[in-house]
Amino acid sequence: MLTPEQVIPFLPHHDPVVRRQAERYFDRPHDYGPLTADHYWQVVDAFGMAKGGRGLLVRLSELRDTESSYQRLMQALRERAAELEEIHLQQAVGDLDMDLLDAHAQELLNCEFILPHVREHLRQRMLLAAEPIEPIWERLMALGQSLGGNYAGSFDEREPRRLIEALARDPGRFVDRAMLVLDDPDASSDWREIFAVQFLGAARHEPAADALVARFAIDADVLRERVQDALSQIGTLSVVQKIEAFYPGKEWHVRLYADEPLARIKRPECETALLRLWEIEEADDLRVNILDGLCKLGSTARLDQSRAMIAEEPQHPELLGLAEALIAVAAMNGVGLPEEPYWRSLLARRDARAAKMTARFDALFAKELRGNWLRDGITLPARENDPDEDDAQDETDADLWDAPAMNNLAEEPIAPYRRPAPKVGRNDPCPCKSGKKYKKCCGK
């Protein structure tokens, strides 16, 4: 496997397939190594925001900021990017590291290019940093209880993030209380349990690992995704061992979630654990997940087995995605793949078929954002090469998401892997029969 130091040089690689895989390596890992926001800005400046840089802008807010990356971010805000880039720039400025927020408080709070709700978010973060810390825990729990069974996305999730950030100033004072919340069955009926999980991850509280891993068995998608994040943040050898010990014999939907932190914790032991889980895993779709997890570590282990699986059905979207990852990982490790030209031809056809649909969604989403910002008194430029607005208005969600159109993303309609459950979970096969997971397709 590869270390962060070894992957960073591939971020500005001339091949977009390699660049994208380098980005995936740094998708919320436990250790970014020396990576900072400056590295991402170098790539954005080399390839442009709209194409090579948009994926990096999405993750910009996760990285450690520097004075130079702050100045570059403020320059980008003043230059007024198109909507689909602007939304990520606004998120990045809202999540600036606290030391830079303190150093540039007046500039940020008075900047006309920062959206009003983002300025308010910054102001609230600074106020919380100056408040006594003890009452903040009760505020977080009261908020979680008041939200009841609300769905994710139905409330402003920046508020709990602000509270958790403030509590992380002195995490040792609250970890025992968070553990008690995990033991409280009433807390699972609202958002208190999820907020406790998020706090324990931010606190990197290793003793919580057993309780966190056990929650993979609970069929609640948002909870399990927050558990993935928390375990990845803790990222110790003990976490790796507990996940590996937990995995065997669990139901399909449990195993689906449980291996993800092993791809995000950049330790050699994760590669070993994934290899052992691959040996015992019998479900083909989950074997593909494990092989993809190895790719996220920059590992070429089980390369021959991956090639064999892809050869059986190379046009299946999940297997084609694995082929794309293997091309990049092989390049990073200096390994040649005889199938690469054929795989690249399939990827080119896939991307060409997806391009028109993506452009249409981008236009509709940008139009919605533009309307929201106009209501806030912010005027932003239209995207270059926007599809005709009348066409965008005539296009309906049903037109865009109809099953035949989605099936055309593959060479032929391909039957997806199906989970024997009455509901469509975020990681279930998409009902539109694209072959993708629901969260990566119609649920995106």
Side-chain angles (χ1 to χ4, degrees):
M1 63 170 286
L2 300 176
T3 65
E5 291 80 2
Q6 291 173 308
V7 176
I8 287 174
F10 290 100
L11 286 167
H13 197 273
H14 64 89
D15 184 350
V17 171
V18 176
R19 291 202 305 272
R20 286 194 294 267
Q21 188 63 27
E23 294 170 26
R24 293 184 74 220
Y25 180 96
F26 289 111
D27 183 11
R28 294 166 296 163
H30 91 288
D31 179 17
Y32 287 92
L35 185 72
T36 69
D38 289 306
H39 291 97
Y40 278 18
W41 277 116
Q42 290 168 9
V43 181
V44 170
D45 290 338
F47 297 99
M49 284 191 186
K51 295 183 179 179
R54 184 179 292 170
L56 295 176
L57 292 178
V58 173
R59 299 189 173 108
L60 195 60
S61 62
E62 302 168 8
L63 300 184
R64 180 169 59 86
D65 300 299
T66 67
E67 180 62 31
S68 59
S69 71
Y70 167 78
Q71 296 298 339
R72 182 62 186 86
L73 174 59
M74 296 303 290
Q75 176 189 340
L77 288 170
R78 288 191 294 270
E79 291 171 351
R80 312 297 288 272
E83 290 87 350
L84 294 179
E85 289 78 53
E86 180 76 18
I87 188 173
H88 302 304
L89 296 175
Q90 295 286 338
Q91 181 177 342
V93 77
D95 289 339
L96 276 170
D97 294 347
M98 186 58 72
D99 58 341
L100 286 169
L101 178 51
D102 290 338
H104 299 280
Q106 290 306 310
E107 178 185 11
L108 290 164
L109 295 180
N110 294 318
C111 179
E112 62 178 317
F113 300 116
I114 298 177
L115 295 176
H117 70 270
V118 178
R119 290 201 301 269
E120 177 61 19
H121 173 58
L122 293 171
R123 189 180 72 85
Q124 290 295 333
R125 287 178 62 198
M126 288 187 283
L127 288 174
L128 282 169
E131 288 183 15
I133 197 170
E134 188 65 33
I136 296 177
W137 176 261
E138 296 307 322
R139 284 178 59 184
L140 179 66
M141 292 297 101
L143 173 63
Q145 191 166 24
S146 70
L147 290 171
N150 282 8
Y151 290 107
S154 64
F155 61 92
D156 187 352
E157 296 192 34
R158 287 172 299 188
E159 182 177 2
R161 289 207 330 262
R162 291 193 296 263
L163 296 172
I164 291 168
E165 176 188 45
L167 292 169
R169 286 183 286 154
D170 186 9
R173 190 186 303 189
F174 302 101
V175 290
D176 289 342
R177 299 184 213 185
M179 295 298 293
L180 288 175
V181 172
L182 298 189
D183 290 334
D184 181 0
D186 292 337
S188 63
S189 63
D190 51 52
W191 281 78
R192 284 175 293 168
E193 179 182 35
I194 292 175
F195 292 164
V197 167
Q198 290 178 279
F199 169 73
L200 290 166
R204 299 183 184 271
H205 188 54
E206 185 179 50
D210 281 321
L212 293 173
V213 171
R215 276 163 171 74
F216 282 133
I218 301 173
D219 191 8
D221 293 341
V222 174
L223 173 63
R224 292 195 284 201
E225 289 172 358
R226 300 299 190 272
V227 167
Q228 289 175 337
D229 293 339
L231 290 170
S232 300
Q233 287 175 291
I234 297 169
T236 61
L237 176 58
S238 175
V239 167
V240 176
Q241 294 169 336
K242 291 178 187 301
I243 292 174
E244 183 183 357
F246 170 84
Y247 187 97
K250 298 300 187 296
E251 293 182 78
W252 181 93
H253 67 93
V254 179
R255 305 197 309 278
L256 175 67
Y257 282 90
D259 68 336
E260 173 66 19
L262 298 179
R264 289 162 56 180
I265 299 172
K266 308 306 182 183
R267 293 179 173 275
E269 295 85 2
C270 288
E271 180 181 39
T272 304
L274 284 172
L275 290 171
R276 285 197 284 251
L277 295 182
W278 191 85
E279 293 291 344
I280 65 170
E281 181 56 70
E282 296 181 351
D284 284 344
D285 52 349
L286 298 188
R287 297 190 105 198
V288 173
N289 279 1
I290 292 173
L291 293 172
D292 185 63
L294 289 167
C295 289
K296 289 179 183 177
L297 293 175
S299 171
T300 56
R302 294 293 182 269
L303 179 59
D304 289 342
Q305 291 88 340
S306 297
R307 293 166 59 196
M309 290 189 74
I310 295 167
E312 292 178 2
E313 199 173 6
Q315 296 170 33
H316 190 286
E318 296 293 330
L319 291 170
L320 186 55
L322 177 61
E324 183 175 22
L326 285 176
I327 290 172
V329 172
M332 293 178 188
N333 285 276
V335 177
L337 294 173
E339 305 93 339
E340 181 176 341
Y342 175 54
W343 290 350
R344 282 189 181 273
S345 70
L346 295 178
L347 289 168
R349 289 202 289 270
R350 178 202 68 181
D351 294 344
R353 292 188 180 94
K356 183 177 180 181
M357 185 176 293
T358 300
R360 185 69 67 184
F361 278 120
D362 285 355
L364 293 174
F365 186 42
K367 187 176 180 181
E368 181 180 359
L369 286 173
R370 195 178 308 152
N372 292 339
W373 291 337
L374 283 172
R375 285 192 292 274
D376 281 337
I378 303 292
T379 303
L380 294 171
R383 285 184 69 199
E384 293 182 6
N385 302 320
D386 256 345
D388 184 82
E389 292 228 354
D390 292 334
D391 290 343
Q393 290 173 346
D394 291 340
E395 195 84 54
T396 65
D397 286 346
D399 295 330
L400 290 166
W401 288 112
D402 70 320
M406 297 304 295
N407 280 334
N408 286 337
L409 292 178
E411 193 70 15
E412 299 175 359
I414 297 172
Y417 298 119
R418 292 202 173 277
R419 161 186 178 180
K423 71 171 187 174
V424 181
R426 282 169 49 76
N427 283 281
D428 288 342
C430 191
C432 76
K433 300 184 180 179
S434 67
K436 296 183 180 182
K437 293 184 179 67
Y438 179 67
K439 70 180 181 181
K440 295 182 179 179
C441 190
C442 296
K444 190 171 182 179

